[in-house]
Amino acid sequence: MPSGSCLCHAVKYQYKGEPISKAICHCQTCHKLSSSSSVNLLVPTDHFRLTAGKPQLKEYHLTHESGMHMTTHFCGECGSLLYKTADKPEFAGDVIVLAGTVDDPQAWDEAKPDAEFFVGERASWWKGVGGARQLSGFT
């Protein structure tokens, strides 16, 4: 069962099964949240659970540039963004896990994106991922 944590390891999580999808998002919100584009794993909420640190977990609510409402979940101790939830129908009932928080280094190999979102906002020097759908938004 894959597990992950924040930088200081105060907040930990696990999820079971294969992610529904894996995507890089180049939107401005992800740029601000992660200081770059973000690699995301979409996991069903009922396959995801916190295993430590619930008191340290903080939330921030925002409106994404697409209009959806998003909640970011981060460690109140070290500030690491761990996962996001959103009200967009495509994300309802799912957790958007930041792949960089998964503890197993092999997870990066397994996190190869099947899609890239907001490719018009991708840095010009960043080449598209071969085989990944290149989308102007989330769809």
Side-chain angles (χ1 to χ4, degrees):
M1 186 176 293
S3 63
S5 60
C6 61
L7 183 62
C8 71
H9 300 283
V11 180
K12 297 178 182 184
Y13 65 83
Q14 287 182 329
Y15 66 88
K16 64 181 179 179
E18 189 66 25
I20 297 167
S21 66
K22 301 171 266 192
I24 295 175
C25 188
H26 302 284
C27 73
Q28 289 301 307
T29 298
C30 283
H31 286 175
K32 295 288 186 182
L33 288 171
S34 65
S35 299
S36 181
S37 298
S38 65
V39 181
N40 302 289
L41 309 173
L42 191 63
V43 175
T45 300
D46 61 351
H47 290 193
F48 178 88
R49 69 183 180 96
L50 290 176
T51 58
K54 190 160 178 72
Q56 286 87 5
L57 191 67
K58 303 293 182 195
E59 295 181 353
Y60 179 74
H61 304 275
L62 62 111
T63 301
H64 186 271
E65 62 259 33
S66 68
M68 75 175 168
H69 295 97
M70 178 182 286
T71 301
T72 60
H73 305 263
F74 60 96
C75 175
E77 193 66 32
C78 69
S80 295
L81 175 61
L82 295 157
Y83 63 98
K84 305 174 272 192
T85 53
D87 69 356
K88 189 166 180 58
E90 294 86 356
F91 302 133
D94 299 320
V95 173
I96 306 161
V97 176
L98 278 329
T101 66
V102 177
D103 291 330
D104 181 0
Q106 188 177 14
W108 277 102
D109 289 337
E110 296 169 8
K112 184 176 185 242
D114 47 42
E116 289 190 69
F117 302 139
F118 294 88
V119 295
E121 297 178 43
R122 178 176 56 209
S124 61
W125 48 262
W126 187 326
K127 303 300 176 212
V129 174
R133 291 174 298 146
Q134 304 293 304
L135 303 168
S136 60
F138 290 119
T139 56

